[in-house]
């Protein structure tokens, strides 16, 4: 059982490892369905007992490519998922991501978010400004966690119950303030950083390099699943460069609404 995380689902060639081409996405999801894997909403996934065939799909960053490519695939295959969105970047260019300055990348706009939410795609928070939450003061955390939740709820008319921590980073303070802000669970990208409150749930990121075989290993666990945990932690480490550059930029020193 596993919660899988995708980022870019773009037909263009991207720098870095976070893009999963739409044709590959469709094939992997179709193959998993044909192999008997069962896909659940996040609420259902969290409430069910462990099962090697249980899967939940999440999409971090709220890129426009989700609406253009992944959303039609999910509709075709009758699947759902969760899109975690950084509220401050709705309808804006992803200039927090330095690879996005090389290849212009946009975030979902309000109309696109409303459309996917109406279909049944769940909307979650990815913070407000897509910055490392572990570096913030309590006041900064309140801005990032509370404002993003409120903005997304106002936009969709539904409850925003979950938050995916930007870059997968969290600590005790982040968990405490996420719970205080009204989130039911937080989600990370590391199986090696443990939640102190049984609040944060780990996920597996699916990278450009992943195949059907490695994706199945993420879901079914065992020795190969451990390999995927180590690989995921290693690949996620390269986000440290983006985190550092964003800390240097003056607009991210203090969280903005």
């Amino acid at each position: 059982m596993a919660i899988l995380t995708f980022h870019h689902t773009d037909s263009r060639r991207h720098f870095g490892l976070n893009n999963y081409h739409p044709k590959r996405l469709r094939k992997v999801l179709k193959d998993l369905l044909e192999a008997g894997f069962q896909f659940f909403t996040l609420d259902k996934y969290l409430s069910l007992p462990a099962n090697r065939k249980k899967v939940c799909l999440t999409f971090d960053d709220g890129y426009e490519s989700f609406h253009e490519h992944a959303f039609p695939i999910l509709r075709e295959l009758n699947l759902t998922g969760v899109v975690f969105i950084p509220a401050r970047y709705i309808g804006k260019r992803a200039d927090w991501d330095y690879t996005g300055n090389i290849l212009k990348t946009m975030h979902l706009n309000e109309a696109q978010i409303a459309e996917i939410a109406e279909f049944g795609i769940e909307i979650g928070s990815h913070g407000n400004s897509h910055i490392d939450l572990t570096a913030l003061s309590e006041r900064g955390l309140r801005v990032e966690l509370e404002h993003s939740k409120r903005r997304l709820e106002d936009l969709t008319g539904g409850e925003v119950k979950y938050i995916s921590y930007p870059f997968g980073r969290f600590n005790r303070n982040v968990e405490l303030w996420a719970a205080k802000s009204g989130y039911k669970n937080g989600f990370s990208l590391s199986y090696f950083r443990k939640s102190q409150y049984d609040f944060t749930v780990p996920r597996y990121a699916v990278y450009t390099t992943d195949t059907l075989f490695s994706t199945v290993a993420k879901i079914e666990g065992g020795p190969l699943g451990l390999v995927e945990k180590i690989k995921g932690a290693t690949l996620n480490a390269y986000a440290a460069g983006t985190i550092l550059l964003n800390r240097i930029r003056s607009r991210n020193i203090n969280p903005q609404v």
Side-chain angles (χ1 to χ4, degrees), residues 21-22 43-44 69 78 150 154 158 172 186 196 217 232 239 250 252 255:
H21 194 282
D43 278 345
K44 194 72 172 175
H69 298 294
N78 196 30
R150 184 169 62 250
D154 289 345
R172 177 179 179 273
Q196 296 187 41
S250 60
N252 276 339

Side-chain angles (χ1 to χ4, degrees), residues 6 13 15 19-20 27 44 53 55-56 109 118 130 135 147 212 216:
F6 297 87
R13 183 181 297 276
F15 297 90
N19 187 47
Y20 211 76
K27 185 177 188 318
K44 194 72 172 175
K53 294 291 186 179
V55 189
C56 179
N109 60 39
E118 185 177 358
H130 203 295
H147 178 77
L212 175 63
V216 169

Side-chain angles (χ1 to χ4, degrees), residues 130-138 140-141 144-145 163 165-175 177 188 193 200 243 247 255:
H130 203 295
I131 54 179
D132 177 10
L133 299 177
T134 65
L136 300 181
S137 65
E138 290 188 355
L141 280 172
E144 286 291 315
L145 297 169
I163 179 164
Y165 309 123
F167 308 107
R169 268 56 169 185
F170 72 99
N171 58 21
R172 177 179 179 273
N173 211 31
V174 171
E175 288 188 292
W177 277 101
S188 74
R193 182 184 293 275
T200 296
I243 293 171
R247 285 180 182 172

